[in-house]
Amino acid sequence: MGTESSNQLWRSMWAICWKDIKLYYAKGPIVVTGVLFPLFLWGAFYIGRGLDPKDGLASLVTLTIFFTSSSVTPIIAPWETRQRTLEMLLSRPVKVTTILIGDILASTIFGLVFTLPIVFYSIVLGVVLSNVLMATVIIMVTVIGFSALGVLFSALPTDTPADVVLLSSVVKLPLIFVSGVLVPLAQLPTWTLAIAAASPLTYPTDLLRQLYTGNAFFPEWVDIMMVIIFTIMFTVGALKLHEKTLSTRLQKR
Amino acid sequence: MTSFSPRIRVGKRKENRPMSTIAIEAVNLHKRFGNVSAVNGVSFNVTEGEIFGFLGPNGAGKTTTIRILTGILRPDSGEAKIMGYDVHKDPVKARMLIGVVPEEANPYPDLSAWDNLTLVGSLYGLSKRTASERASRLLKLLDLYEVRERKARSLSKGMRQKLLVAMALIGEPKVLFLDEPTSGLDVLSAKKIRSLILDLKKNGVTVLLTTHNVEEAGELCDRIAIINGGQIVETGSPDDLMIKSGLYTYISVKFDRPINPEDAGQFFKAWEHRVQGSRILLICKESADPIVRVVEYAKARCLSIIDIHTSPPNMEDVFVKIIGG
Ligand SMILES: Nc1ncnc2c1ncn2[C@@H]1O[C@H](COP(=O)(O)OP(=O)(O)OP(=O)(O)O)[C@@H](O)[C@H]1O
Ligand SMILES: [Mg+2]
C-alpha cells in the first residue's frame, strides 16, 4: 500500500465531492444565482446595446462558467472551519489536497451542468460552432481553473466566510471588466489590452468567439495555452497555499 | 462504595497484556497559543491493548494533546508517533490506524447520520458495501439505527455523541482517541460505551480517553495520567495513584468474639488502628499486607472472621489530592 492507496484516494475524493453537491450545490438559491447572474450581466451588455446575441454567446458561456464554478468553492473551507467539520474530516486518513480536489471536482460538475446546456442548446437553435470537441474541452479546463480559483481564495486562513467572499468579490468583479468578456478585445483601447491580457477570462472568451464567429484577437494556440496555464496555476496555487495555511486555520477557535 | 479490591485488578490486567509494543508515543510535546502554554513537555507511552486515561481540570491541555497526537495541531516541539509512524511526517499512514472522537469537531449537521458515517467510511477507503455493512452494525449497536435517516442537527446531544463514536469506529482502528466520549450520555448509553471500550480492548485496540468522570477512569483505565497546567503530574494504575496520593484505606474486621486490645495492638503495630470489642479498624495506605496479617492473627488466636470490609479512597479524592485541591 502506498501512502494513500489509489483506491482510497479515489473514494475519498468522490465522497467529498458528493458531500459538497449534497450540502452546497443541490440548493435552490445557489442554482438560481448560477443561472440569473451571468444571464443578467450578459443581457445588460449585449441585448441592452442592441448587439447580436449570437456574437455574445462566447461571453455568456464564459460568464456562466465564472459565476457558477467560482461561487461556492471560496466559502467551503472557512465555513467548515467554523462548523468544525473540517477537523472531523482531517482526523481521518485524508490529506487536505484530496479534500480540495474533491471540492474542485464538485464545483466542476456544477459548472458544467450550467454551461454545457447553453452550448448544446445553441447548436440546436442553429448557431454553428466550428469545433464542438475543442469547445467542450476548453470549457472543461476553464471550469476546473475557475473552481480552483475559488479554492485559492479560501486559503485565507479564516473561519469567517464573509472574509473570503469579500476577497473574492474584490478580485472577481474587476477581472470581468478588464477582460474581453463584455467588450470584444478588438474594441478595447490599447492601454486596457495589457490588463486584459492578464485576466483569465480573456482567453476562453476569445477562443470561444473564434469557434462561434471565426473572429478572434489572439491566435488559437495562445488562447489554448493560456487557458491551460491559468488552470494549472490556480490549481497548484490553491493546493500549495492551503497546505501552508492549514495549521493556522485549524488553530482557530 | 467500597467495591474494588485493587490487588485483584492488577493480576487480571497483567494477563490481558501479553505484548508490549508501543502504540502511542508522545515525546516532550510543547504547544503554545499566544502566551498560553497549553501543553508544556508532555511525554508518555501507551502500550498496545492498553486503556490509558487523561484526567485533569478544565484547560489542563488534554484536548490539545489529543489534537497533536491525531495530527490536527502541529506541536511547537516534540514528537508524536502512532504504531511507530510519525503523525506529522506520515499523517495518512498514522491516521489510517486511528479512530477519533474529537471533543470539538462535529458531524455535518445537514447530512443524515447514515451519510455522515458512510462518508467517513469512504475516507478510510472502504467500498460502498463494506461501509454500509459496518455502518448498519455500528448504528444498531449504538441504538441509532432507527434515526439513521435523520439529519445530524436534529439528533440530541447524546445521539450525536454516539454518532461520533460510530464514526470513530467505522475504520476499525487499532488506536482510539476518545475525548470525553461519555459526556452528555444517559446512564445506560454511558455504560454501553464503557463496555464497548472494554470489548475493543479485548480485541487488542489501544485506547486513549479523557473524561471528567473520575470513577469512570478508575473503572476503565489500566493507567491514568493526571495532567495539570500542560504537564503530567502523576502517572500510574488507579491503584498506584491511590497509593501515591497518600490517602488511606480503611479496613474494618469483625471477629466472632472480642479481642484483647493490647495483644492486637502489638500484632498490628505497623499500622494505625483502633480496637472496639470484637472489631478492629486498620488505617493504612494499601490493603493487601494488612489483610494477610489479619488472617494470620485470626489463625494464631483461633478467631473466626465474621466480616471484613475495605474502604479504599475513592478516585475522586485521589484526583483532588494529586491535583492539589
Ligand atoms: N485554539 C486555541 N487557541 C487559543 N488557546 C487555546 C486553543 N486551544 C486551547 N487553548 C488553550 O490551551 C489550554 C488547554 O486547553 P485544552 O482544550 O487542551 O484543555 P482541556 O484539558 O481539554 O480542558 P477541558 O477539560 O475543558 O476540555 C487552555 O488554556 C485553552 O484556553
Ligand atoms: Mg478538552
Side-chain angles (χ1 to χ4, degrees):
Chain A
M1 251 209 307
T3 308
E4 218 178 355
S5 77
S6 60
N7 229 349
Q8 184 192 0
L9 211 71
W10 196 241
R11 282 176 181 148
S12 306
M13 234 161 57
W14 277 108
I16 299 291
C17 168
W18 164 90
K19 175 268 296 176
D20 285 349
I21 291 175
K22 210 155 183 174
L23 288 180
Y24 304 105
Y25 294 103
K27 298 259 149 109
I30 192 77
V31 168
V32 171
T33 343
V35 179
L36 291 187
F37 236 74
L39 210 59
F40 279 155
L41 199 61
W42 176 73
F45 270 80
Y46 275 82
I47 301 176
R49 293 192 304 167
L51 297 170
D52 182 359
K54 214 173 81 178
D55 285 342
L57 266 178
S59 304
L60 179 62
V61 170
T62 313
L63 282 175
T64 305
I65 298 176
F66 196 55
F67 277 101
T68 52
S69 54
S70 69
S71 60
V72 177
T73 35
I75 60 154
I76 295 180
W79 174 251
E80 296 198 1
T81 308
R82 166 69 61 88
Q83 201 183 37
R84 304 205 143 277
T85 46
L86 183 66
E87 176 161 343
M88 188 280 287
L89 289 183
L90 286 170
S91 310
R92 322 297 168 190
V94 59
K95 287 187 191 145
V96 230
T97 311
T98 313
I99 295 180
L100 297 176
I101 293 176
D103 290 339
I104 293 175
L105 198 61
S107 173
T108 300
I109 293 172
F110 181 65
L112 290 179
V113 161
F114 283 92
T115 317
L116 291 181
I118 302 179
V119 178
F120 294 130
Y121 192 60
S122 59
I123 292 173
V124 171
L125 288 184
V127 182
V128 205
L129 198 63
S130 62
N131 189 341
V132 180
L133 181 68
M134 160 103 68
T136 311
V137 170
I138 220 66
I139 286 173
M140 261 165 101
V141 178
T142 310
V143 171
I144 295 172
F146 288 163
S147 301
L149 176 65
V151 174
L152 182 67
F153 291 131
S154 72
L156 190 72
T158 172
D159 60 352
T160 314
D163 294 349
V164 180
V165 171
L166 185 69
L167 173 73
S168 76
S169 309
V170 163
V171 177
K172 270 163 65 179
L173 288 177
L175 276 185
I176 295 174
F177 292 100
V178 302
S179 67
V181 73
L182 295 176
V183 180
L185 289 172
Q187 296 169 25
L188 287 176
T190 3
W191 66 271
T192 40
L193 256 181
I195 310 176
S199 164
L201 283 122
T202 301
Y203 304 96
T205 317
D206 196 53
L207 185 64
L208 287 169
R209 194 168 277 145
Q210 162 81 40
L211 296 177
Y212 271 117
T213 67
N215 297 319
F217 191 81
F218 295 110
E220 213 171 89
W221 68 269
V222 172
D223 288 331
I224 296 173
M225 237 182 54
M226 290 309 286
V227 167
I228 293 172
I229 288 174
F230 270 116
T231 296
I232 292 175
M233 235 172 59
F234 291 152
T235 310
V236 173
L239 301 183
K240 288 267 175 266
L241 218 62
H242 266 277
E243 260 174 25
K244 259 207 171 120
T245 57
L246 183 71
S247 54
T248 322
R249 177 183 297 283
L250 288 172
Q251 224 159 282
K252 289 272 166 192
R253 265 221 180 159
Chain B
M1 287 269 156
T2 58
S3 44
F4 67 83
S5 155
R7 283 293 154 142
I8 293 168
R9 283 171 48 100
V10 174
K12 229 199 219 158
R13 194 174 56 243
K14 277 186 181 147
E15 272 171 24
N16 284 351
R17 204 176 1 155
M19 300 164 295
S20 62
T21 324
I22 293 173
I24 306 172
E25 190 180 359
V27 185
N28 203 16
L29 298 174
H30 287 262
K31 181 77 193 173
R32 297 181 71 86
F33 295 107
N35 49 16
V36 178
S37 182
V39 173
N40 191 9
V42 165
S43 300
F44 62 91
N45 288 338
V46 183
T47 308
E48 208 176 330
E50 199 176 21
I51 302 181
F52 190 81
F54 257 1
L55 232 50
N58 295 131
K62 305 180 295 292
T63 299
T64 306
T65 307
I66 288 188
R67 289 176 89 208
I68 292 173
L69 291 171
T70 53
I72 295 292
L73 288 181
R74 215 165 245 290
D76 299 335
S77 64
E79 252 187 351
K81 285 187 184 163
I82 304 293
M83 300 294 217
Y85 292 114
D86 188 302
V87 179
H88 295 95
K89 290 188 190 126
D90 246 335
V92 175
K93 264 188 193 154
R95 288 202 202 113
M96 201 60 204
L97 299 170
I98 69 179
V100 191
V101 171
E103 184 187 16
E104 315 213 330
N106 295 314
Y108 283 97
D110 289 313
L111 287 183
S112 67
W114 179 267
D115 287 348
N116 266 295
L117 194 48
T118 50
L119 168 65
V120 172
S122 317
L123 300 184
Y124 282 98
L126 302 181
S127 69
K128 213 173 176 117
R129 186 152 154 230
T130 314
S132 301
E133 277 168 12
R134 289 191 194 170
S136 306
R137 191 163 42 78
L138 285 167
L139 290 173
K140 281 177 187 152
L141 181 71
L142 293 163
D143 302 317
L144 291 173
Y145 195 70
E146 301 306 314
V147 299
R148 68 188 180 285
E149 295 303 338
R150 274 169 57 181
K151 285 184 174 176
R153 75 159 71 246
S154 78
L155 300 178
S156 74
K157 177 174 155 56
M159 287 168 163
R160 222 173 312 144
Q161 183 70 13
K162 286 195 283 185
L163 174 59
L164 281 171
V165 173
M167 286 156 80
L169 293 176
I170 196 161
E172 300 196 335
K174 299 208 69 64
V175 180
L176 253 187
F177 290 89
L178 307 172
D179 202 347
E180 302 188 25
T182 55
S183 89
L185 294 191
D186 66 60
V187 180
L188 239 74
S189 300
K191 211 168 154 179
K192 194 165 230 164
I193 298 287
R194 283 196 289 270
S195 78
L196 184 62
I197 292 172
L198 291 171
D199 283 346
L200 288 165
K201 176 197 162 76
K202 275 192 206 124
N203 293 323
V205 175
T206 310
V207 181
L208 190 156
L209 62 88
T210 76
T211 173
H212 287 299
N213 182 339
V214 194
E215 300 302 328
E216 175 175 281
E219 185 189 320
L220 282 178
C221 298
D222 299 310
R223 277 189 310 140
I224 293 175
I226 293 186
I227 176 166
N228 196 11
Q231 287 178 320
I232 292 180
V233 289
E234 202 63 83
T235 317
S237 68
D239 318 335
D240 292 341
L241 293 181
M242 280 182 194
I243 294 166
K244 283 178 182 168
S245 73
L247 290 171
Y248 296 100
T249 295
Y250 295 82
I251 302 169
S252 151
V253 188
K254 184 171 162 50
F255 298 103
D256 60 341
R257 56 196 156 79
I259 55 174
N260 180 340
E262 257 160 51
D263 172 41
Q266 197 54 35
F267 202 89
F268 292 105
K269 65 172 180 287
W271 302 286
E272 200 180 321
H273 59 274
R274 317 226 193 307
V275 177
Q276 199 176 48
S278 57
R279 285 184 175 278
I280 182 165
L281 177 73
L282 299 168
I283 302 166
C284 34
K285 296 211 169 164
E286 48 93 48
S287 48
D289 289 350
I291 289 174
V292 170
R293 198 81 178 126
V294 164
V295 174
E296 282 169 9
Y297 179 74
K299 266 198 189 140
R301 306 292 182 270
C302 293
L303 295 159
S304 312
I305 300 171
I306 305 277
D307 183 35
I308 184 159
H309 196 78
T310 72
S311 321
N314 69 36
M315 275 310 289
E316 204 164 294
D317 296 336
V318 170
F319 175 72
V320 170
K321 183 76 196 295
I322 292 176
I323 288 297

